[in-house]
Amino acid sequence: MITYQTLSLAEANLILDACQKKAEEIGVPEVLCVADAAGYPIALRRLDGGKVTSVQIAMNKAFTAAGHRKPTHHYKNALPGEEAFGIFTQHEGRFTVFVGGFPIVVDGKVVGGVAASGGNGEQDIAVCEAGIAALMKHLAKS
């Protein structure tokens, strides 16, 4: 039997709180998602003004980051003629290859994913990194 760790709802909300704070600080109405270790949503938050189309995008970014265990923007080889071209057609089109999804790694294991959709790449990265940093700070206190 294999046992794995994943995020709790309380931890997901802690991450979302930090993501929201950063998004508001930089003035971007993001949609935020935290997924479990399998890539399925634990918590989703659409900030005031967040695009309705960003809801599914944030969920897909979190799914990809957690499930494939790497940031979504690391798929530099997904262009036509490249090794991973077409990967975005997998999992009923949920596999996402653009910026804004990060795996959450604790003790070398992926325990979930966080995603932001609604800003440009730099903004989405900053928002996700704020959420991960808040979780790591919380875990260091525990």
Side-chain angles (χ1 to χ4, degrees):
M1 184 180 302
I2 297 172
T3 304
Y4 69 96
Q5 291 184 305
T6 194
L7 298 167
S8 69
L9 178 59
E11 290 163 335
N13 281 317
L14 179 140
I15 294 165
L16 289 181
D17 289 345
C19 289
Q20 180 174 348
K21 181 178 179 186
K22 183 64 173 181
E24 289 171 346
E25 176 185 302
I26 63 176
V28 180
E30 297 270 15
V31 176
L32 311 165
C33 183
V34 174
D36 65 15
Y40 289 90
I42 298 170
L44 179 83
R45 192 174 296 174
R46 182 173 158 205
L47 305 187
D48 291 343
K51 299 174 194 147
V52 68
T53 53
S54 291
V55 172
Q56 191 66 48
I57 294 169
M59 290 170 52
N60 290 348
K61 287 179 181 183
F63 170 82
T64 302
H68 215 64
R69 302 182 188 128
K70 69 185 205 180
T72 54
H73 63 279
H74 282 198
Y75 294 93
K76 304 285 187 213
N77 59 348
L79 298 172
E82 296 287 335
E83 172 181 23
F85 178 68
I87 198 167
F88 48 83
T89 66
Q90 302 305 299
H91 299 283
E92 288 123 22
R94 293 188 61 205
F95 204 98
T96 303
V97 297
F98 47 89
V99 178
F102 286 83
I104 299 171
V105 181
V106 176
D107 297 329
K109 302 286 185 189
V110 173
V111 298
V114 61
S117 179
N120 62 34
E122 189 176 285
Q123 293 165 329
D124 288 355
I125 287 171
V127 167
C128 290
E129 287 177 340
I132 293 169
L135 175 67
M136 296 308 156
K137 184 177 179 181
H138 169 76
L139 293 176
K141 292 179 185 178
S142 300

